[in-house]
Amino acid sequence: GYENGEIEYVQKNECVFDEKGNILSRKEIIDGDLCYERTYKYADYEYAYPKTILGEHKYYSKYGETYTDTYDDYGEIVLSKTVDSDGETLGEVEISYTRDELGRVTLEKEIEDGFVSCETAYEYDGDSDDWSKRTETDYYEDGGKEITVYNSDYDIVSRIGYDADGDIVKNETYEYEYDEYGNKISEKTYSNGVLIEEEKYTFDKD
């Protein structure tokens, strides 16, 4: 790599291919240090795109930590793990997926260091691959939880928080208006049914 005509770093890539020319692994070495390491696999189910997907991705930091992401056959991360230079685990997030008959994710669950921290449910209209509603539930170690619902435009529809006893401690809802191009032109925020904030947006017609 160059900056102002001077060599800033030297990068070398090492790749392994199978007999068909498909890449199996790739290493990125910068200034003699291994920084990234990736392995690949090939999806064989009917609707797979792309066919080549990551199997595992490792990043080696200059401080000695190794960050590893492991992927399933759909190209989704199923395990993220961080270890220090001594091989001790600093953090681990396991992710599981439930799919419908079309292969679409209907439930995603995150488990951090053995604790279920988040569950996300997806709903779809017809055979569309794009979800129409997303419900995200965050769980807290004190027993509380917060449920956030999103619409198909990725905007929050509601956010409700509960304490460990199941009592509501937060109750927010949102209303939006969109123009004919799908741009959000207004947003209203309610707390316990009372309007507390309103914003309007304008866009250039050029």
Side-chain angles (χ1 to χ4, degrees):
Y2 291 86
E3 184 175 349
N4 299 323
E6 300 291 333
I7 295 177
E8 186 177 4
Y9 63 88
V10 177
Q11 177 175 330
K12 181 176 71 171
N13 298 327
E14 296 181 356
C15 300
V16 176
F17 300 87
D18 65 14
E19 66 277 3
K20 297 180 180 179
N22 298 316
I23 187 169
L24 298 178
S25 66
R26 173 188 174 99
K27 294 180 179 179
E28 295 182 19
I29 302 168
I30 299 177
D31 292 335
D33 295 324
L34 177 62
C35 293
Y36 298 96
E37 188 172 6
R38 301 178 179 92
T39 58
Y40 298 88
K41 55 187 177 181
Y42 296 86
D44 57 3
Y45 57 93
E46 182 178 0
Y47 300 106
Y49 180 82
K51 293 293 184 180
T52 305
I53 56 178
L54 274 172
E56 189 175 75
H57 175 254
K58 289 187 176 183
Y59 164 63
Y60 303 93
S61 82
K62 63 181 180 180
Y63 302 107
E65 296 94 352
T66 300
Y67 302 87
T68 304
D69 289 331
T70 304
Y71 297 78
D72 65 11
D73 290 341
Y74 290 86
E76 303 281 3
I77 295 177
V78 293
L79 181 65
S80 290
K81 188 174 182 178
T82 305
V83 299
D84 63 17
S85 57
D86 296 322
E88 295 293 327
T89 300
L90 301 178
E92 184 174 284
V93 179
E94 180 182 352
I95 307 173
S96 65
Y97 305 90
T98 302
R99 298 179 182 273
D100 63 14
E101 65 278 3
L102 298 179
R104 302 174 301 189
V105 174
T106 56
L107 182 65
E108 178 181 332
K109 182 184 294 187
E110 296 183 20
I111 303 174
E112 297 186 38
D113 301 322
F115 174 76
V116 178
S117 60
C118 183
E119 288 184 331
T120 304
Y122 300 90
E123 298 179 21
Y124 303 85
D125 291 332
D127 294 337
S128 173
D129 290 330
D130 298 321
W131 53 265
S132 58
K133 179 181 178 181
R134 186 178 93 191
T135 303
E136 186 175 295
T137 304
D138 292 300
Y139 298 96
Y140 305 112
E141 293 186 355
D142 63 3
K145 65 180 179 179
E146 185 171 275
I147 301 175
T148 305
V149 178
Y150 297 83
N151 62 20
S152 58
D153 294 298
Y154 296 82
D155 289 320
I156 297 175
V157 175
S158 64
R159 178 181 283 132
I160 303 176
Y162 299 86
D163 62 18
D165 297 322
D167 296 324
I168 295 177
V169 295
K170 176 192 295 184
N171 187 359
E172 297 177 348
T173 54
Y174 302 82
E175 292 181 358
Y176 306 95
E177 288 185 53
Y178 306 88
D179 64 16
E180 64 270 26
Y181 303 105
N183 298 312
K184 182 168 56 180
I185 57 176
S186 73
E187 177 180 344
K188 294 180 180 179
T189 303
Y190 298 84
S191 179
N192 296 315
V194 178
L195 179 64
I196 59 172
E197 186 176 1
E198 183 174 4
E199 295 187 50
K200 293 185 180 297
Y201 309 95
T202 57
F203 297 87
D204 294 333
K205 297 187 180 295
D206 296 338

